[in-house]
Each structure stands twice: as structure tokens, then as C-alpha cells.
Amino acid sequence: MIDDLYQETILDHSKHPRNCHAMNDANRNAEGYNPLCGDKLKLYVKMEGDVVKDASFQGSGCAISTASASLMTESLKGKTRDEALKLLEKFHNLLTTDTPVTKDLGKLVVFCGVRDYPARVKCATLAWHTLKSALDGVAEPVTTEEFE
Amino acid sequence: MSTLSSVITAGFDVEKIREDFPVLKQTIHGKPLVYLDSAATAQKPTAVVDAIRKFHEVDCANIHRGVHELSQRSTAAYEEARAKAKRFVNSKSTNELIFIRGATEGINLVASSWGRKNVTVGDEIVISAMEHHSNIVPWQMLCEEKGARLRVIPMNDRGELLLEEYEKLLNPRTRMVAVTHVSNALGTINPVKQIIEMAHQAGALTLIDGAQAVPHMQVDVQALDADFYTFSGHKLVGPTGIGFLYGKTALLNAMPPYQGGGDMIKVVTFEKTTYADLPYKFEAGTPNIAGGIGLGAAFDYVNAIGLEKIAAYEHELLLYGTEILSRIPGLRIIGTAREKAAVLSFVMEGIHPHDIGTVLDRQGIAVRTGHHCAQPVMDWFHVPATTRASLAFYNTAGEIDALAAGLGKVKEIFS
């Protein structure tokens, strides 16, 4: 069912994305690009010590990638760098494997429908891979073609 | 629509034609398949599939120089496809038709072989704003290597080339004008005869990318006076991995080989190799024999229906589709040229093409979403991507209605 992909929360976040703005005092930035569909994303992260104090994004993309960026920036706040990277790994597993859905993903479980749409996995992971390059301090824009 | 049914009653029995395409008789996600992606690749009729199977089951052997029966049969069938291509695009001789993998390889062959020999620093290559990446990148690579300059014919907001601007680009340094006959992203049919004439007046050669034209209209390379013309078989209901490059004999003769190897030589010693005559000079190695034979069957199939009838029917479908889509609020058609092939590229306000494509797919409707290998076209229209429904002669008005209903579902979800 198409509704399993476009769950209410995803539609809500794609129509009304949270944290969708530039951030002047961000100390980690990165750009992501999906050459397949032309989706572009700019991510801003403000770290205080090892903790993500704030995160925001700007960009144009499909409902899945916009909602993913929106929900990601929400879920990052207050997480340590390691916790954020752990969440990325779990999110990636949610989309690409049959592993049972675990509670610690919180709201992000709404993306579980994406695993039945392999062509759309990259839409959902664009923001997260951009996050990784932001945390790693990579200067070049990351593209979905580089994902392993 | 009455105009549509009048074409059908005028001898175009689409339901009978659909019987020839087994792939169309399936359901996708529980819905009848509505295939609207023929500009990417056309579906294959049974006649083509059978020809390929017969080659593998009955006649399979390598071509040329074989004295045994199977090799003679396969050579004859393969070369017969070249003869059919000659009649299909009206070249003067079969020697002017080079078997290639597809239009992309045809362009690369010319850019590499002709370009490296004839283009020097300060020379200019002219392309257009609506080219597929395959008619941009090979020329860009050549220009980079030689210190030449790539110039681009602009277009208007309907997606029509501006010939007066083109005129201004032409000068004594222009070596090559390489433009598409029909735009894959917009559907625009370019006035290539005029474009060629203007290039020739400036002393430049021309290459026409016919990938989207040959399946949908009668092409006569001699009447066009094209220097090079290339197309892919798979858009013409033939198999993938096979196509033709047409080139004028004198030009091809003066060009160095593209690849070296077997089949493209007369005599090989360690001191020196003499090359084969046309067209074999450009056909190194064992080719896609099955593909060539399949393409031969595709020519026959299309000829039996008649390109004129196909073009007329597809035009009716285009008019109908344009009218139906124009009624959908918030939908904007990208590419509204006055001369247009059956391509409907569009955007919908606030809804990304990727989401449109996924929702349509779940209703059995196959469209293409993205930049269609024409990123500069997307940039020109200030859109990241479009949704493209491309039609062929096996499509029906009912399928366009299904697309409209599918887009209704899209709006239901996203608004």
C-alpha cells in the first residue's frame, strides 16, 4: 500500500518541514546531493563540545528526503556525536535490512515503509549521509553515489 | 475524442498492435501496466523477440570470413539489417552505415575519430541548450583536449531553438554543429534541415542525434544533407546495445579508425596494418550480432505499420494528452514547442516528480522522473526534475485517462 510509504508523519514533515532554515552560528556544515533526482540539501549543525546543540537544513527535495531531513534534525538535538552516528547506522538498517523495528528509533520508524521501495532508499538517507560528512568535517559536497 | 477515434478507424488498430507486445499484457501492483516510458526504451514486439531467438536457436555463428553454413547464414542476416537501415533512413550506400552500440557511441565515434583529427585550438563546436548529456559530454571532452570552444544555441520558454541566435554563433572557426533532431526531455522537433543548411553555409559539418526522431517520423539523411546522423535501435522497438551511425562516404573515408582489432583490418603485420574498407573500418571485434538481426526485424515491423501512420496516431495521442493534462490545476507542461513529438514532460506545484513517479508506479503506470540526462534543460526551466510521460504507437487514449486518474491520486495524497 502506498500509504505505508507516505505515512501521515512523513506527509506532515514534508509539507511543514521543521528546522528548515539557515543557521548563522552553526559550526559544522555540509552539502548533500542526489544526482539521480537532483535533490540538494544543506545541513547546519551546532556542536557544543561533543553534543549536538542544534541542527537545521535547507534544500529542495521529494517528500521522503524533506521529511527525513526534518525528522533527523529534530531527533539529533541533545545527542552526542557517537549517539548520532549510532542512530544513523540504525536508521540505515531500518531502510535496507529486514531487521525488526526497534523502539529506540523513536519517530524515525515511520520510514520503515521505505524498505519496500528500493528506488527511494537514497531519498531517505541523503540527510543522514550529509550529517556524517558534517560531523566528519568533510568540505566537498557528499553525493548519494558515494554511499556504500 | 472524435479526432482520435477517426484515426483509429482510418486503419490504425491499436488493440491489434498491442497483441504484438506481450509485455503490455501484465499487471503491476495489481493494476494493468500503463507503459509511458518509450522515450527511455520502447517495448519489443514478438517479431523482434522471435528473430533474436531464431538466431540463437538456429543460426548462431560468428559473422564474416566463415565458410561454414551457420556463419554464412548469420552474416547474411546481420548484413541484411544494414541494408534495411539503408532503406529506412535513405542513405546512398550501406557503406555509410556503421553498426554501433547506440546513439551515444555514434556521437563518441565522431567526436573521437573525426574530432581529434580535424579540431584544433581556437576552433568551435556548436551544440544546443536541449541536448542529452550524450551530445554534450563527448564534445566537451574534445574541446578540453584540443583547446576548442563549446558554444550553445539558446532556446525560448516553449523549448524552441532560437535560430537567429544560432546564426550569430556561426563563424569561420565553427567546425561542427551537433544538435538533436527531437528533444528527449521536451519533445521539441528541431528544424534540422535548416540548421544543417546554415551550418554548411558557414563551412561547418553537422551531426544529428536522431535517437528520439527515427522511431517517430520518416527520416531521410540525403534530403536533410546531414553529414552524420545517429540513432539507437532500442527506441525503435529493437533490442538494446545496437544502433547506427550514418556518415557521408568521403568523411568516413578520411577519418581514422575508432577502435582497433579484428574485422577492421585488411592486412596486419608487426610493422604495419592496413585498414578495411567502409563500413568495417569502424567495426572492430565481434559485434552484437543478435542485436543487429533483432533491429532488422524491428525495421520490418515498423515498416509494415508505416511511419506516416505511426506519426499521425502519436500526434493525436499527444494532442489528447496535452489537453487532458492541461486541465489538471497546478500542473505545468515543460516543453510546448509548436513542432513536438509525443513527449509530455511536466511539473506539479508543490509535489516532487520522484513522489509522483512512485505513486503512479503503484497504480501500474510507468513514467520517468528526474533530469532525463538533460540537466542543462532542467536548469534552464528552473526545475530540479520533471515527470515525463512519453508515448508510442502502442499506447491508447485510455492510458492517458489512466495517467490523469493516477495524477488525481497523487494530488489526493500530497495536498
Side-chain angles (χ1 to χ4, degrees):
Chain A
M1 277 294 289
I2 197 77
D3 298 344
D4 296 337
L5 177 66
Y6 295 112
Q7 295 190 26
E8 208 43 56
T9 308
I10 291 182
L11 289 175
D12 173 36
H13 277 258
S14 74
K15 287 171 199 164
H16 314 286
R18 325 294 198 262
N19 308 310
C20 186
H21 52 78
M23 196 192 296
N24 289 332
D25 56 346
N27 48 19
R28 301 277 194 286
N29 298 310
E31 283 177 53
Y33 177 54
N34 183 349
L36 228 63
C37 55
D39 284 1
K40 282 176 192 155
L41 185 100
K42 191 156 188 198
L43 187 69
Y44 306 86
V45 182
K46 184 158 74 180
M47 299 288 288
E48 267 184 21
D50 197 38
V51 176
V52 178
K53 187 76 183 162
D54 201 1
S56 71
F57 78 101
Q58 285 180 302
S60 68
C62 64
I64 304 292
S65 81
T66 304
S68 174
S70 174
L71 281 154
M72 180 188 82
T73 49
E74 270 195 339
S75 64
L76 282 177
K77 290 177 197 176
K79 295 231 167 13
T80 66
R81 185 180 181 280
D82 281 353
E83 284 168 346
L85 290 174
K86 198 99 203 163
L87 197 58
L88 187 165
E89 196 186 321
K90 280 184 185 158
F91 186 70
H92 202 263
N93 285 339
L94 173 78
L95 301 181
T96 57
T97 65
D98 287 332
T99 48
V101 177
T102 50
K103 269 192 185 154
D104 48 358
L105 275 163
K107 270 190 192 173
L108 298 175
V109 294
V110 295
F111 289 97
C112 65
V114 177
R115 61 168 70 159
D116 296 327
Y117 296 78
R120 305 304 301 275
V121 169
K122 282 177 178 178
C123 308
T125 54
L126 177 63
W128 289 87
H129 286 279
T130 311
L131 169 69
K132 183 161 191 320
S133 78
L135 295 178
D136 291 347
V138 178
E140 289 291 304
V142 61
T143 85
T144 47
E145 299 309 284
E146 294 159 29
F147 305 166
E148 66 290 348
Chain B
M1 267 181 74
S2 59
T3 45
L4 196 65
S5 53
S6 69
V7 172
I8 294 168
T9 51
F12 203 88
D13 189 347
V14 68
E15 288 309 324
K16 185 164 170 284
I17 282 169
R18 288 175 71 83
E19 290 296 310
D20 298 333
F21 292 83
V23 75
L24 299 176
K25 295 174 203 162
Q26 64 181 300
T27 54
I28 301 287
H29 307 302
K31 306 275 173 60
L33 167 64
V34 174
Y35 187 77
L36 303 177
D37 197 20
S38 294
T41 200
Q43 295 300 346
K44 322 305 175 198
T46 307
V48 169
V49 178
D50 284 350
I52 296 167
R53 183 189 293 117
K54 177 179 174 281
F55 168 70
H56 286 129
E57 285 182 356
V58 185
D59 302 327
C60 185
N62 209 333
I63 53 168
H64 300 148
R65 295 171 319 282
V67 294
H68 62 79
E69 169 69 19
L70 291 189
S71 179
Q72 289 174 46
R73 275 194 230 155
S74 64
T75 303
Y78 189 67
E79 289 300 332
E80 181 58 26
R82 198 191 309 267
K84 287 171 185 171
K86 171 186 175 290
R87 293 192 287 275
F88 203 81
V89 298
N90 191 36
S91 70
K92 219 176 268 177
S93 147
T94 49
N95 293 342
E96 298 172 318
L97 287 161
I98 318 293
F99 271 114
I100 47 171
R101 281 187 294 152
T104 296
E105 188 174 52
I107 298 164
N108 275 279
L109 191 160
V110 176
S112 173
S113 168
W114 172 87
R116 282 202 179 133
K117 189 174 174 190
N118 293 287
V119 174
T120 56
V121 60
D123 282 347
E124 297 184 0
I125 307 285
V126 174
I127 60 172
S128 89
M130 65 175 78
E131 297 309 313
H132 188 281
H133 295 163
S134 62
N135 204 24
I136 301 173
V137 183
W139 302 113
Q140 238 165 14
M141 289 161 67
L142 175 68
C143 287
E144 209 163 289
E145 185 184 318
K146 295 292 187 178
R149 187 173 172 204
L150 192 66
R151 311 205 62 182
V152 183
I153 310 169
M155 59 184 164
N156 62 22
D157 54 14
R158 304 172 77 103
E160 297 165 329
L161 293 182
L162 300 173
L163 294 186
E164 61 278 14
E165 296 298 320
Y166 166 49
E167 176 91 67
K168 289 182 210 157
L169 290 178
L170 292 167
N171 68 67
R173 295 311 302 266
T174 312
R175 289 283 165 272
M176 173 65 77
V177 175
V179 296
T180 190
H181 198 160
V182 173
S183 159
N184 73 309
L186 303 169
T188 311
I189 302 173
N190 285 318
V192 287
K193 191 171 163 56
Q194 196 181 346
I195 288 171
I196 290 167
E197 209 175 287
M198 287 163 74
H200 286 168
Q201 274 165 15
L205 294 181
T206 53
L207 177 143
I208 307 300
D209 171 1
Q212 300 291 343
V214 166
H216 306 291
M217 63 182 74
Q218 202 90 54
V219 170
D220 183 329
V221 292
Q222 289 190 75
L224 290 176
D225 199 21
D227 299 293
F228 299 100
Y229 194 103
T230 188
F231 62 96
S232 305
H234 72 100
K235 311 226 193 245
L236 184 82
V237 306
T240 54
I242 195 77
F244 280 103
L245 169 70
Y246 160 83
K248 286 179 179 168
T249 302
L251 292 169
L252 292 175
N253 269 330
M255 282 157 58
Y258 177 49
Q259 293 178 333
D263 241 18
M264 53 76 72
I265 51 86
K266 270 183 186 156
V267 182
V268 177
T269 68
F270 287 117
E271 286 69 40
K272 186 171 169 54
T273 293
T274 50
Y275 303 124
D277 293 328
L278 292 177
Y280 310 112
K281 183 169 92 176
F282 293 102
E283 296 182 353
T286 296
N288 180 358
I289 305 170
I293 292 168
L295 178 52
F299 287 134
D300 290 343
Y301 182 83
V302 170
N303 281 334
I305 299 172
L307 264 175
E308 258 176 49
K309 277 187 185 171
I310 286 174
Y313 177 73
E314 288 179 352
H315 188 66
E316 290 297 321
L317 280 184
L318 173 69
L319 295 181
Y320 183 66
T322 305
E323 191 188 315
I324 294 287
L325 291 191
S326 302
R327 283 186 206 155
I328 299 174
L331 184 148
R332 179 162 68 105
I333 294 177
I334 303 287
T336 50
R338 280 156 286 195
E339 295 292 322
K340 211 184 142 180
V343 169
L344 290 159
S345 226
F346 61 88
V347 291
M348 288 173 87
E349 211 181 312
I351 311 175
H352 194 280
H354 233 152
D355 296 314
I356 297 172
T358 293
V359 175
L360 290 178
D361 174 59
R362 290 286 144 162
Q363 296 169 84
I365 303 165
V367 294
R368 193 145 292 255
T369 60
H371 52 58
H372 317 296
C373 291
Q375 284 178 356
V377 174
M378 302 297 119
D379 291 344
W380 199 93
F381 283 96
H382 303 294
V383 294
T386 72
T387 304
R388 182 187 72 186
S390 54
L391 309 168
F393 58 88
Y394 43 69
N395 288 125
T396 66
E399 290 182 308
I400 290 168
D401 295 338
L403 171 65
L407 293 173
K409 174 83 180 166
V410 168
K411 292 193 80 164
E412 205 178 286
I413 293 174
F414 292 103
S415 55

